[in-house]
Coordinates of all heavy atoms in Angstrom, one line a residue:
M1 N -23.5 -92.0 -8.8 CA -22.4 -92.0 -7.8 C -22.8 -92.7 -6.6 O -23.8 -92.4 -6.0 CB -21.9 -90.6 -7.5 CG -20.9 -90.5 -6.4 SD -20.2 -88.9 -6.1 CE -21.5 -88.1 -5.1
Q2 N -22.0 -93.7 -6.1 CA -22.3 -94.4 -4.9 C -21.6 -93.5 -3.8 O -20.4 -93.3 -3.9 CB -21.9 -95.8 -4.9 CG -22.7 -96.7 -5.8 CD -22.3 -98.1 -5.9 OE1 -21.2 -98.4 -6.0 NE2 -23.2 -98.9 -5.7
K3 N -22.3 -93.1 -2.8 CA -21.7 -92.2 -1.7 C -21.6 -92.9 -0.4 O -22.4 -93.7 0.0 CB -22.7 -91.0 -1.7 CG -23.0 -90.3 -2.9 CD -23.8 -89.1 -2.7 CE -25.3 -89.5 -2.3 NZ -26.2 -88.4 -2.3
I4 N -20.6 -92.3 0.3 CA -20.4 -92.7 1.7 C -20.4 -91.4 2.5 O -19.5 -90.6 2.2 CB -19.2 -93.6 2.0 CG1 -19.2 -94.9 1.2 CG2 -19.0 -93.8 3.5 CD1 -18.0 -95.7 1.2
L5 N -21.3 -91.3 3.5 CA -21.2 -90.1 4.4 C -20.1 -90.3 5.4 O -20.2 -91.2 6.2 CB -22.6 -89.9 5.1 CG -22.7 -88.8 6.1 CD1 -22.5 -87.4 5.5 CD2 -24.0 -88.8 6.8
I6 N -19.1 -89.4 5.3 CA -18.0 -89.6 6.2 C -18.2 -88.8 7.5 O -17.8 -89.2 8.6 CB -16.7 -89.0 5.6 CG1 -16.4 -89.8 4.2 CG2 -15.5 -89.0 6.5 CD1 -16.1 -91.2 4.4
G7 N -18.8 -87.7 7.5 CA -19.0 -86.8 8.7 C -19.8 -85.6 8.3 O -20.1 -85.4 7.1
A8 N -20.2 -84.8 9.3 CA -21.0 -83.7 9.0 C -21.0 -82.7 10.2 O -20.7 -83.2 11.3 CB -22.4 -84.0 8.6
N9 N -21.4 -81.5 10.0 CA -21.8 -80.6 11.1 C -23.2 -80.1 10.8 O -23.8 -80.5 9.9 CB -20.7 -79.6 11.4 CG -20.5 -78.7 10.2 OD1 -21.4 -78.4 9.4 ND2 -19.3 -78.1 10.1
D10 N -23.6 -79.0 11.4 CA -24.9 -78.5 11.2 C -25.1 -77.7 9.8 O -26.1 -77.4 9.5 CB -25.4 -77.7 12.3 CG -24.5 -76.6 12.7 OD1 -23.3 -76.5 12.2 OD2 -25.0 -75.6 13.4
K11 N -23.9 -77.5 9.2 CA -23.9 -76.8 8.0 C -23.6 -77.6 6.7 O -24.1 -77.3 5.7 CB -22.9 -75.6 8.0 CG -23.3 -74.6 9.1 CD -22.3 -73.4 9.1 CE -22.7 -72.4 10.1 NZ -22.4 -72.6 11.5
I12 N -22.8 -78.6 6.8 CA -22.3 -79.3 5.6 C -22.1 -80.8 6.0 O -21.7 -81.2 7.1 CB -21.0 -78.7 5.1 CG1 -20.6 -79.2 3.7 CG2 -19.8 -78.8 6.1 CD1 -19.5 -78.4 3.0
Q13 N -22.3 -81.6 4.9 CA -22.0 -83.0 5.0 C -20.8 -83.3 4.2 O -20.6 -82.7 3.1 CB -23.1 -83.8 4.4 CG -24.4 -83.8 5.3 CD -25.5 -84.7 4.8 OE1 -25.6 -84.9 3.6 NE2 -26.2 -85.3 5.7
V14 N -19.9 -84.2 4.7 CA -18.7 -84.6 3.9 C -19.0 -85.9 3.4 O -19.2 -86.9 4.1 CB -17.5 -84.6 4.9 CG1 -16.2 -85.2 4.1 CG2 -17.2 -83.3 5.5
I15 N -19.1 -85.9 2.0 CA -19.5 -87.2 1.3 C -18.3 -87.6 0.4 O -17.7 -86.8 -0.2 CB -20.7 -86.9 0.5 CG1 -21.8 -86.2 1.3 CG2 -21.1 -88.1 -0.4 CD1 -23.1 -86.9 1.4
M16 N -18.1 -88.9 0.5 CA -17.0 -89.5 -0.4 C -17.6 -90.3 -1.5 O -18.6 -91.1 -1.2 CB -16.1 -90.4 0.5 CG -15.0 -90.9 -0.3 SD -13.9 -91.9 0.8 CE -14.2 -93.5 0.2
D17 N -17.2 -90.1 -2.7 CA -17.5 -90.9 -3.8 C -16.9 -92.3 -3.6 O -15.6 -92.3 -3.6 CB -17.1 -90.3 -5.1 CG -17.5 -91.1 -6.4 OD1 -17.9 -92.3 -6.3 OD2 -17.3 -90.6 -7.5
A18 N -17.6 -93.3 -3.4 CA -17.0 -94.6 -3.1 C -16.0 -95.1 -4.2 O -15.1 -95.8 -3.8 CB -18.1 -95.7 -2.9
A19 N -16.2 -94.7 -5.4 CA -15.3 -95.1 -6.5 C -13.9 -94.5 -6.3 O -13.0 -95.0 -6.9 CB -15.9 -94.7 -7.8
M20 N -13.8 -93.5 -5.5 CA -12.6 -92.8 -5.3 C -11.7 -93.4 -4.2 O -10.6 -93.0 -3.9 CB -12.7 -91.3 -5.0 CG -13.4 -90.5 -6.0 SD -12.6 -90.6 -7.6 CE -11.1 -89.6 -7.3
G21 N -12.3 -94.4 -3.5 CA -11.6 -95.1 -2.4 C -10.5 -96.0 -3.0 O -10.5 -96.4 -4.2
N22 N -9.4 -96.2 -2.3 CA -8.3 -96.9 -2.7 C -8.4 -98.4 -2.0 O -9.2 -98.6 -1.1 CB -7.0 -96.2 -2.2 CG -5.8 -96.7 -2.9 OD1 -5.7 -97.8 -3.4 ND2 -4.8 -95.8 -2.9
H23 N -7.5 -99.3 -2.5 CA -7.5 -100.6 -1.9 C -6.9 -100.6 -0.5 O -7.0 -101.6 0.2 CB -6.8 -101.6 -2.8 CG -7.5 -101.8 -4.1 ND1 -7.9 -103.1 -4.5 CD2 -8.0 -101.0 -5.0 CE1 -8.5 -103.0 -5.6 NE2 -8.6 -101.7 -6.0
H24 N -6.1 -99.6 -0.2 CA -5.4 -99.6 1.0 C -5.5 -98.2 1.6 O -5.6 -97.2 0.9 CB -3.8 -99.9 0.9 CG -3.6 -101.3 0.2 ND1 -3.5 -101.5 -1.1 CD2 -3.5 -102.5 0.8 CE1 -3.3 -102.7 -1.4 NE2 -3.3 -103.4 -0.2
G25 N -5.4 -98.1 2.9 CA -5.5 -96.8 3.5 C -4.9 -96.8 4.9 O -4.6 -97.9 5.4
M26 N -4.7 -95.7 5.5 CA -4.2 -95.5 6.8 C -4.9 -94.4 7.5 O -5.1 -93.4 6.9 CB -2.7 -95.3 6.8 CG -2.1 -95.2 8.2 SD -0.3 -94.9 8.2 CE -0.3 -93.2 8.6
I27 N -5.3 -94.7 8.7 CA -6.0 -93.6 9.5 C -5.1 -93.5 10.8 O -4.8 -94.5 11.5 CB -7.4 -94.1 9.9 CG1 -8.3 -94.3 8.7 CG2 -8.0 -93.0 10.9 CD1 -9.6 -94.9 9.0
S28 N -4.6 -92.3 11.0 CA -3.7 -92.1 12.1 C -4.2 -90.8 12.9 O -4.9 -90.0 12.3 CB -2.3 -92.0 11.7 OG -2.1 -90.8 10.9
G29 N -3.8 -90.8 14.1 CA -4.2 -89.6 15.0 C -3.9 -89.9 16.4 O -3.7 -91.1 16.8
A30 N -4.0 -88.9 17.2 CA -3.8 -89.1 18.7 C -5.0 -89.8 19.3 O -6.1 -89.9 18.7 CB -3.6 -87.7 19.3
T31 N -4.9 -90.2 20.5 CA -6.0 -90.9 21.2 C -7.2 -90.0 21.3 O -7.0 -88.8 21.6 CB -5.5 -91.3 22.7 OG1 -4.4 -92.1 22.6 CG2 -6.7 -91.9 23.4
G32 N -8.4 -90.5 21.0 CA -9.6 -89.7 21.1 C -10.0 -88.9 19.9 O -10.8 -88.0 20.0
T33 N -9.3 -89.0 18.8 CA -9.5 -88.1 17.7 C -10.5 -88.7 16.6 O -10.8 -88.1 15.7 CB -8.2 -87.8 16.9 OG1 -7.6 -89.0 16.5 CG2 -7.3 -86.9 17.8
G34 N -11.0 -89.9 16.9 CA -12.1 -90.5 16.1 C -11.5 -91.5 15.0 O -12.3 -91.8 14.1
K35 N -10.4 -92.1 15.3 CA -9.9 -93.1 14.3 C -10.8 -94.3 14.2 O -11.1 -94.8 13.1 CB -8.5 -93.6 14.7 CG -7.4 -92.5 14.7 CD -6.1 -93.0 15.1 CE -6.1 -93.5 16.6 NZ -6.3 -92.5 17.7
T36 N -11.2 -94.9 15.3 CA -12.0 -96.1 15.3 C -13.3 -95.8 14.6 O -13.8 -96.5 13.8 CB -12.2 -96.6 16.7 OG1 -10.9 -96.9 17.3 CG2 -13.1 -97.8 16.8
V37 N -14.0 -94.7 15.0 CA -15.3 -94.4 14.4 C -15.2 -94.1 12.9 O -16.0 -94.6 12.1 CB -15.9 -93.2 15.1 CG1 -17.2 -92.7 14.4 CG2 -16.2 -93.5 16.6
T38 N -14.1 -93.5 12.5 CA -13.8 -93.2 11.0 C -13.7 -94.6 10.3 O -14.4 -94.7 9.2 CB -12.6 -92.3 10.8 OG1 -12.8 -91.1 11.5 CG2 -12.3 -92.1 9.4
L39 N -13.0 -95.5 10.9 CA -12.8 -96.8 10.3 C -14.1 -97.5 10.2 O -14.5 -98.2 9.2 CB -11.8 -97.6 11.0 CG -11.4 -98.9 10.3 CD1 -11.0 -98.8 8.8 CD2 -10.2 -99.6 11.1
Q40 N -14.9 -97.4 11.2 CA -16.3 -98.1 11.3 C -17.2 -97.5 10.2 O -17.9 -98.2 9.5 CB -16.9 -98.0 12.6 CG -16.3 -98.8 13.7 CD -16.8 -98.6 15.1 OE1 -17.1 -97.5 15.5 NE2 -17.0 -99.6 15.8
V41 N -17.1 -96.2 10.1 CA -18.0 -95.6 9.1 C -17.6 -96.0 7.7 O -18.5 -96.3 6.9 CB -17.9 -94.0 9.2 CG1 -18.5 -93.3 8.0 CG2 -18.6 -93.5 10.5
L42 N -16.3 -96.0 7.4 CA -15.8 -96.4 6.0 C -16.2 -97.9 5.8 O -16.8 -98.2 4.8 CB -14.3 -96.3 5.9 CG -13.9 -94.8 5.8 CD1 -12.3 -94.7 5.9 CD2 -14.3 -94.2 4.4
A43 N -16.0 -98.7 6.8 CA -16.3 -100.2 6.6 C -17.8 -100.4 6.4 O -18.2 -101.2 5.6 CB -15.8 -101.0 7.9
E44 N -18.6 -99.8 7.3 CA -20.1 -99.9 7.1 C -20.5 -99.4 5.8 O -21.4 -100.0 5.1 CB -20.8 -99.2 8.2 CG -20.6 -99.8 9.6 CD -21.1 -99.0 10.7 OE1 -21.5 -97.8 10.5 OE2 -21.1 -99.5 11.9
G45 N -19.9 -98.2 5.3 CA -20.3 -97.6 4.0 C -20.0 -98.6 2.9 O -20.9 -98.8 2.0
Y46 N -18.8 -99.1 2.9 CA -18.4 -100.0 1.8 C -19.2 -101.3 1.9 O -19.7 -101.8 0.8 CB -17.0 -100.3 1.8 CG -16.2 -99.2 1.1 CD1 -15.3 -98.4 1.8 CD2 -16.3 -99.0 -0.3 CE1 -14.6 -97.3 1.1 CE2 -15.6 -98.0 -1.0 CZ -14.7 -97.2 -0.2 OH -14.1 -96.2 -0.8
S47 N -19.4 -101.8 3.1 CA -20.2 -103.1 3.2 C -21.6 -102.9 2.7 O -22.1 -103.8 2.0 CB -20.2 -103.5 4.7 OG -21.0 -104.7 4.9
S48 N -22.2 -101.8 3.0 CA -23.6 -101.5 2.5 C -23.6 -101.4 1.0 O -24.7 -101.6 0.4 CB -24.2 -100.2 3.1 OG -23.6 -99.1 2.6
L49 N -22.6 -101.2 0.3 CA -22.5 -101.2 -1.1 C -22.1 -102.5 -1.7 O -22.0 -102.6 -2.9 CB -21.5 -100.1 -1.6 CG -21.8 -98.7 -1.2 CD1 -20.7 -97.7 -1.6 CD2 -23.1 -98.2 -1.9
G50 N -21.9 -103.5 -0.8 CA -21.6 -104.8 -1.3 C -20.0 -105.1 -1.5 O -19.7 -106.1 -2.0
V51 N -19.2 -104.2 -0.9 CA -17.8 -104.4 -1.1 C -17.3 -105.1 0.2 O -17.5 -104.7 1.3 CB -17.1 -103.0 -1.2 CG1 -15.6 -103.1 -1.2 CG2 -17.6 -102.2 -2.4
P52 N -16.5 -106.2 -0.1 CA -16.0 -106.9 1.1 C -14.9 -106.2 1.8 O -14.1 -105.4 1.1 CB -15.3 -108.2 0.5 CG -15.9 -108.3 -0.9 CD -16.3 -106.9 -1.3
V53 N -15.0 -106.1 3.1 CA -14.0 -105.3 3.9 C -13.3 -106.3 4.9 O -13.9 -107.0 5.6 CB -14.8 -104.2 4.7 CG1 -13.8 -103.5 5.6 CG2 -15.5 -103.3 3.8
F54 N -12.0 -106.1 5.0 CA -11.2 -106.9 5.9 C -10.6 -105.9 6.9 O -9.9 -105.0 6.4 CB -10.1 -107.8 5.3 CG -9.3 -108.5 6.3 CD1 -9.7 -109.7 6.8 CD2 -8.1 -107.9 6.7 CE1 -8.9 -110.4 7.7 CE2 -7.3 -108.6 7.6 CZ -7.7 -109.8 8.2
M55 N -10.8 -106.1 8.2 CA -10.2 -105.2 9.2 C -9.4 -106.0 10.2 O -10.0 -106.9 10.8 CB -11.3 -104.3 9.9 CG -12.0 -103.4 8.9 SD -13.2 -102.3 9.8 CE -14.3 -103.4 10.5
A56 N -8.2 -105.7 10.4 CA -7.4 -106.4 11.5 C -7.7 -105.6 12.8 O -7.4 -104.4 12.8 CB -5.9 -106.4 11.2
D57 N -8.2 -106.3 13.8 CA -8.6 -105.5 15.0 C -8.2 -106.4 16.2 O -8.9 -107.2 16.7 CB -10.2 -105.4 15.0 CG -10.8 -104.7 16.1 OD1 -10.0 -104.0 16.8 OD2 -11.9 -104.8 16.4
I58 N -7.0 -106.1 16.7 CA -6.4 -106.9 17.7 C -7.2 -106.7 19.1 O -7.5 -107.6 19.8 CB -5.0 -106.5 18.0 CG1 -4.1 -106.7 16.7 CG2 -4.4 -107.2 19.2 CD1 -4.2 -108.1 16.1
K59 N -7.6 -105.4 19.4 CA -8.3 -105.2 20.6 C -9.8 -105.4 20.6 O -10.4 -105.4 21.7 CB -8.0 -103.7 21.1 CG -6.5 -103.5 21.3 CD -6.3 -102.1 22.0 CE -6.9 -100.9 21.3 NZ -6.6 -99.6 21.9
G60 N -10.4 -105.6 19.5 CA -11.9 -105.8 19.4 C -12.7 -104.5 19.4 O -13.9 -104.5 19.5
D61 N -12.0 -103.4 19.2 CA -12.7 -102.1 19.1 C -13.7 -101.9 18.0 O -14.7 -101.2 18.0 CB -11.7 -100.9 19.0 CG -10.9 -100.7 20.2 OD1 -11.2 -101.2 21.3 OD2 -9.8 -100.1 20.1
L62 N -13.5 -102.7 16.9 CA -14.3 -102.6 15.7 C -15.4 -103.6 15.6 O -16.3 -103.5 14.7 CB -13.5 -102.7 14.4 CG -12.3 -101.8 14.3 CD1 -11.4 -102.1 13.2 CD2 -12.8 -100.3 14.2
S63 N -15.6 -104.5 16.6 CA -16.5 -105.5 16.5 C -18.0 -105.0 16.6 O -18.9 -105.7 16.3 CB -16.2 -106.5 17.7 OG -16.4 -105.9 19.0
G64 N -18.2 -103.8 17.1 CA -19.5 -103.2 17.2 C -20.2 -103.2 15.8 O -21.5 -103.0 15.8
V65 N -19.6 -103.2 14.7 CA -20.3 -103.1 13.4 C -21.1 -104.4 13.2 O -22.0 -104.4 12.3 CB -19.3 -103.0 12.2 CG1 -18.5 -101.6 12.4 CG2 -18.3 -104.1 12.0
A66 N -20.9 -105.5 13.9 CA -21.6 -106.7 13.7 C -23.0 -106.7 14.3 O -23.8 -107.5 13.9 CB -20.8 -107.9 14.4
K67 N -23.3 -105.7 15.1 CA -24.6 -105.7 15.8 C -25.2 -104.3 15.5 O -24.5 -103.3 15.6 CB -24.4 -105.9 17.3 CG -25.7 -106.0 18.1 CD -25.4 -106.3 19.6 CE -26.7 -106.4 20.3 NZ -26.5 -106.6 21.7
A68 N -26.5 -104.3 15.3 CA -27.3 -103.1 15.1 C -27.2 -102.3 16.4 O -27.4 -102.8 17.5 CB -28.7 -103.3 14.7
G69 N -27.1 -100.9 16.2 CA -27.1 -100.1 17.4 C -28.5 -99.9 18.0 O -29.5 -100.5 17.5
Q70 N -28.6 -99.2 19.1 CA -29.8 -99.0 19.8 C -30.1 -97.4 19.9 O -29.1 -96.6 20.0 CB -29.8 -99.6 21.2 CG -29.7 -101.1 21.1 CD -29.7 -101.6 22.6 OE1 -29.5 -101.0 23.5 NE2 -29.8 -103.0 22.7
T71 N -31.3 -97.1 19.9 CA -31.6 -95.6 20.0 C -31.2 -95.0 21.3 O -31.2 -95.7 22.3 CB -33.1 -95.5 19.7 OG1 -33.4 -94.1 19.6 CG2 -34.0 -96.0 20.9
H72 N -30.9 -93.8 21.2 CA -30.5 -93.0 22.3 C -30.7 -91.6 22.0 O -30.5 -91.1 20.8 CB -29.0 -93.2 22.6 CG -28.5 -92.6 23.9 ND1 -28.1 -91.3 23.9 CD2 -28.4 -93.1 25.1 CE1 -27.7 -91.0 25.1 NE2 -27.8 -92.0 25.9
E73 N -31.1 -90.8 22.9 CA -31.4 -89.4 22.6 C -30.2 -88.6 22.0 O -30.5 -87.7 21.1 CB -31.9 -88.6 23.9 CG -30.8 -88.4 25.0 CD -31.4 -87.8 26.2 OE1 -32.3 -88.3 26.8 OE2 -30.8 -86.7 26.6
K74 N -29.0 -88.9 22.4 CA -27.8 -88.2 21.7 C -27.7 -88.6 20.3 O -27.3 -87.7 19.5 CB -26.5 -88.5 22.5 CG -26.5 -87.9 23.9 CD -26.3 -86.5 23.8 CE -26.1 -85.9 25.3 NZ -25.9 -84.5 25.3
I75 N -27.9 -89.8 20.0 CA -27.9 -90.3 18.6 C -29.0 -89.6 17.8 O -28.7 -89.1 16.7 CB -27.9 -91.8 18.5 CG1 -26.7 -92.4 19.1 CG2 -28.0 -92.2 17.0 CD1 -26.6 -93.9 19.2
T76 N -30.1 -89.7 18.3 CA -31.3 -89.0 17.6 C -31.1 -87.5 17.3 O -31.2 -87.0 16.2 CB -32.6 -89.2 18.4 OG1 -32.8 -90.5 18.6 CG2 -33.8 -88.6 17.7
E77 N -30.5 -86.8 18.3 CA -30.2 -85.4 18.2 C -29.1 -85.2 17.1 O -29.3 -84.3 16.2 CB -29.7 -84.9 19.6 CG -29.3 -83.5 19.6 CD -28.7 -83.1 20.9 OE1 -29.2 -83.5 22.0 OE2 -27.6 -82.4 20.9
R78 N -28.1 -86.0 17.1 CA -27.0 -85.9 16.1 C -27.5 -86.2 14.7 O -27.2 -85.5 13.8 CB -25.9 -86.9 16.5 CG -24.7 -86.9 15.5 CD -23.8 -85.7 15.7 NE -22.7 -85.8 14.9 CZ -22.1 -84.8 14.4 NH1 -22.4 -83.6 14.7 NH2 -21.0 -84.9 13.6
V79 N -28.4 -87.2 14.5 CA -28.9 -87.6 13.2 C -29.7 -86.5 12.6 O -29.6 -86.1 11.5 CB -29.7 -88.9 13.3 CG1 -30.5 -89.1 12.0 CG2 -28.8 -90.1 13.6
Q80 N -30.4 -85.8 13.5 CA -31.3 -84.7 13.0 C -30.4 -83.5 12.8 O -30.6 -82.8 11.7 CB -32.3 -84.3 14.1 CG -33.4 -85.3 14.3 CD -34.3 -85.1 15.5 OE1 -34.0 -84.3 16.3 NE2 -35.4 -85.8 15.6
K81 N -29.4 -83.3 13.6 CA -28.5 -82.1 13.4 C -27.8 -82.1 12.1 O -27.6 -81.1 11.4 CB -27.6 -82.0 14.6 CG -26.6 -80.8 14.5 CD -25.7 -80.7 15.7 CE -24.9 -79.4 15.6 NZ -24.1 -79.3 16.8
I82 N -27.2 -83.3 11.7 CA -26.5 -83.4 10.5 C -27.3 -83.9 9.3 O -26.8 -84.2 8.3 CB -25.2 -84.3 10.7 CG1 -25.6 -85.7 11.0 CG2 -24.3 -83.7 11.8 CD1 -24.3 -86.6 11.1
R83 N -28.6 -84.0 9.5 CA -29.5 -84.3 8.4 C -29.3 -85.6 7.7 O -29.1 -85.6 6.4 CB -29.6 -83.1 7.4 CG -29.9 -81.7 8.1 CD -29.8 -80.6 7.2 NE -28.6 -80.5 6.4 CZ -27.4 -80.1 6.7 NH1 -27.2 -79.6 8.0 NH2 -26.4 -80.1 5.9
I84 N -29.3 -86.7 8.4 CA -29.2 -88.0 7.7 C -30.6 -88.5 7.5 O -31.3 -88.9 8.4 CB -28.4 -89.0 8.6 CG1 -27.0 -88.5 8.9 CG2 -28.3 -90.4 7.9 CD1 -26.2 -89.4 9.8
D85 N -31.0 -88.5 6.2 CA -32.3 -89.0 5.8 C -32.3 -90.5 5.8 O -31.4 -91.1 5.4 CB -32.6 -88.5 4.4 CG -32.7 -86.9 4.3 OD1 -33.1 -86.3 5.3 OD2 -32.4 -86.3 3.2
G86 N -33.4 -91.0 6.3 CA -33.7 -92.5 6.3 C -32.7 -93.2 7.2 O -32.4 -94.4 7.0
F87 N -32.2 -92.6 8.3 CA -31.3 -93.3 9.2 C -32.0 -94.4 9.8 O -33.1 -94.4 10.3 CB -30.8 -92.3 10.3 CG -30.0 -93.0 11.3 CD1 -28.6 -93.2 11.1 CD2 -30.5 -93.4 12.5 CE1 -27.8 -93.8 12.0 CE2 -29.7 -94.0 13.4 CZ -28.4 -94.3 13.2
Q88 N -31.3 -95.6 9.9 CA -31.8 -96.8 10.7 C -30.6 -97.5 11.2 O -29.5 -97.6 10.5 CB -32.6 -97.6 9.8 CG -31.9 -98.2 8.6 CD -32.9 -99.0 7.7 OE1 -33.7 -98.4 7.1 NE2 -32.7 -100.3 7.6
F89 N -30.8 -98.1 12.3 CA -29.7 -99.0 12.9 C -29.7 -100.3 12.1 O -30.7 -100.8 11.8 CB -30.0 -99.3 14.3 CG -29.9 -98.1 15.2 CD1 -31.0 -97.4 15.7 CD2 -28.6 -97.5 15.5 CE1 -30.9 -96.3 16.5 CE2 -28.5 -96.4 16.4 CZ -29.6 -95.8 16.8
R90 N -28.5 -100.8 11.8 CA -28.4 -102.1 11.1 C -27.0 -102.7 11.4 O -26.0 -102.1 11.8 CB -28.5 -101.9 9.6 CG -27.4 -101.1 9.0 CD -27.6 -101.0 7.4 NE -26.5 -100.2 6.9 CZ -26.6 -98.9 6.7 NH1 -27.6 -98.2 7.1 NH2 -25.5 -98.2 6.3
S91 N -27.1 -104.0 11.4 CA -25.8 -104.8 11.6 C -25.1 -105.0 10.2 O -25.8 -104.7 9.1 CB -26.2 -106.2 12.2 OG -27.0 -106.9 11.3
N92 N -23.9 -105.4 10.3 CA -23.2 -105.7 9.0 C -22.7 -107.1 9.1 O -22.4 -107.6 10.2 CB -21.9 -104.8 9.0 CG -22.3 -103.3 8.9 OD1 -22.6 -102.8 7.7 ND2 -22.5 -102.6 9.9
P93 N -22.6 -107.7 7.9 CA -22.2 -109.2 7.9 C -20.8 -109.2 8.4 O -19.9 -108.4 8.0 CB -22.3 -109.5 6.4 CG -22.3 -108.2 5.6 CD -22.9 -107.2 6.6
T94 N -20.5 -110.1 9.3 CA -19.2 -110.2 10.0 C -18.8 -111.6 10.2 O -19.6 -112.4 10.6 CB -19.3 -109.4 11.4 OG1 -19.9 -108.1 11.2 CG2 -18.0 -109.3 12.1
V95 N -17.5 -111.9 10.0 CA -16.9 -113.1 10.3 C -15.6 -112.8 11.2 O -14.8 -112.0 10.8 CB -16.4 -113.9 9.1 CG1 -15.6 -115.1 9.5 CG2 -17.6 -114.3 8.2
F96 N -15.5 -113.3 12.4 CA -14.4 -113.1 13.2 C -13.4 -114.2 13.0 O -13.6 -115.4 13.2 CB -14.8 -113.1 14.7 CG -15.7 -111.9 15.1 CD1 -17.1 -112.0 15.1 CD2 -15.1 -110.6 15.2 CE1 -17.9 -110.9 15.5 CE2 -15.9 -109.5 15.6 CZ -17.2 -109.7 15.7
W97 N -12.2 -113.8 12.5 CA -11.2 -114.7 12.2 C -10.4 -114.9 13.6 O -10.2 -114.0 14.3 CB -10.2 -114.2 11.2 CG -10.8 -114.3 9.8 CD1 -12.1 -114.0 9.5 CD2 -10.2 -114.5 8.6 NE1 -12.4 -114.1 8.1 CE2 -11.1 -114.4 7.6 CE3 -8.9 -114.8 8.2 CZ2 -10.9 -114.6 6.2 CZ3 -8.6 -115.0 6.9 CH2 -9.6 -114.9 5.9
D98 N -9.8 -116.1 13.8 CA -9.2 -116.5 15.0 C -7.9 -117.3 14.7 O -8.1 -118.5 14.2 CB -10.1 -117.3 15.9 CG -9.5 -117.7 17.2 OD1 -8.3 -117.3 17.5 OD2 -10.2 -118.4 18.0
I99 N -6.7 -116.7 14.9 CA -5.5 -117.4 14.6 C -5.3 -118.7 15.4 O -4.6 -119.6 15.0 CB -4.3 -116.5 14.6 CG1 -4.0 -116.0 16.0 CG2 -4.4 -115.4 13.6 CD1 -2.7 -115.3 16.2
F100 N -6.0 -118.8 16.5 CA -5.9 -120.0 17.4 C -7.0 -120.9 17.2 O -7.1 -122.0 17.7 CB -5.9 -119.5 18.9 CG -4.6 -118.7 19.2 CD1 -4.9 -117.3 19.5 CD2 -3.4 -119.1 19.1 CE1 -3.8 -116.5 19.8 CE2 -2.3 -118.3 19.4 CZ -2.5 -117.0 19.7
A101 N -8.0 -120.6 16.3 CA -9.1 -121.4 16.0 C -9.9 -121.9 17.2 O -10.4 -123.0 17.3 CB -8.7 -122.7 15.1
C102 N -10.1 -121.0 18.2 CA -10.8 -121.3 19.4 C -12.2 -120.6 19.4 O -13.2 -121.2 19.9 CB -10.0 -120.8 20.6 SG -8.4 -121.7 20.8
N103 N -12.2 -119.3 19.0 CA -13.5 -118.6 19.2 C -14.0 -118.0 17.9 O -14.9 -117.1 17.9 CB -13.2 -117.5 20.2 CG -12.9 -118.0 21.6 OD1 -13.6 -118.8 22.1 ND2 -11.9 -117.4 22.2
G104 N -13.5 -118.4 16.8 CA -13.9 -117.7 15.5 C -13.5 -118.5 14.4 O -13.0 -119.7 14.5
H105 N -13.5 -118.0 13.2 CA -13.2 -118.7 11.9 C -11.7 -119.0 11.9 O -10.9 -118.0 12.2 CB -13.6 -117.8 10.8 CG -13.2 -118.4 9.4 ND1 -13.9 -119.5 8.9 CD2 -12.3 -118.0 8.5 CE1 -13.4 -119.8 7.7 NE2 -12.4 -118.9 7.5
P106 N -11.3 -120.2 11.8 CA -9.8 -120.5 11.8 C -9.1 -119.9 10.6 O -9.6 -119.7 9.5 CB -9.8 -122.1 11.8 CG -11.1 -122.5 11.2 CD -12.1 -121.4 11.5

């Protein structure tokens, strides 16, 4: 089973079998509920399994997946708390599409 870690707390990890994912999905919620992070986690998980991912991102909130993160004490604390073995920062292959063909792939 190819797995994607969706989230966790100090007691349990929420793991999704990647084969159970659908071709389409919707993430909704109020401001500050974790929609962007959830989408990033899913996109990074599928990308690491070699699945192409297309995300429409008008505001640029998801562009962070293109660059590897940097260490921070809060991140280290969280990784230890939810027991992510072998955690490492990594970038994801990214192509920015541009409908105006000025700053990205036309």
Side-chain angles (χ1 to χ4, degrees):
M1 172 173 83
Q2 293 181 309
K3 307 182 289 184
I4 298 175
L5 175 63
I6 301 294
N9 62 25
D10 57 344
K11 295 183 176 78
I12 190 168
Q13 290 183 327
V14 178
I15 307 242
M16 183 178 108
D17 179 352
M20 299 303 290
N22 197 335
H23 291 238
H24 301 91
M26 183 178 101
I27 299 171
S28 64
T31 301
T33 57
K35 297 178 300 293
T36 300
V37 172
T38 299
L39 186 53
Q40 286 174 321
V41 166
L42 287 170
E44 290 171 352
Y46 278 112
S47 180
S48 71
L49 296 173
V51 177
V53 176
F54 178 84
M55 299 185 296
D57 180 22
I58 303 303
K59 297 189 312 182
D61 293 340
L62 302 171
S63 62
V65 301
K67 187 175 178 184
Q70 296 178 349
T71 189
H72 185 277
E73 66 182 58
K74 292 286 187 183
I75 294 174
T76 303
E77 179 183 315
R78 179 79 175 146
V79 167
Q80 291 171 349
K81 181 177 183 176
I82 64 175
R83 303 173 316 279
I84 300 177
D85 297 326
F87 176 82
Q88 63 186 64
F89 293 103
R90 65 179 180 271
S91 62
N92 293 275
T94 307
V95 175
F96 292 100
W97 290 34
D98 179 3
I99 61 172
F100 300 111
C102 296
N103 297 313
H105 180 70

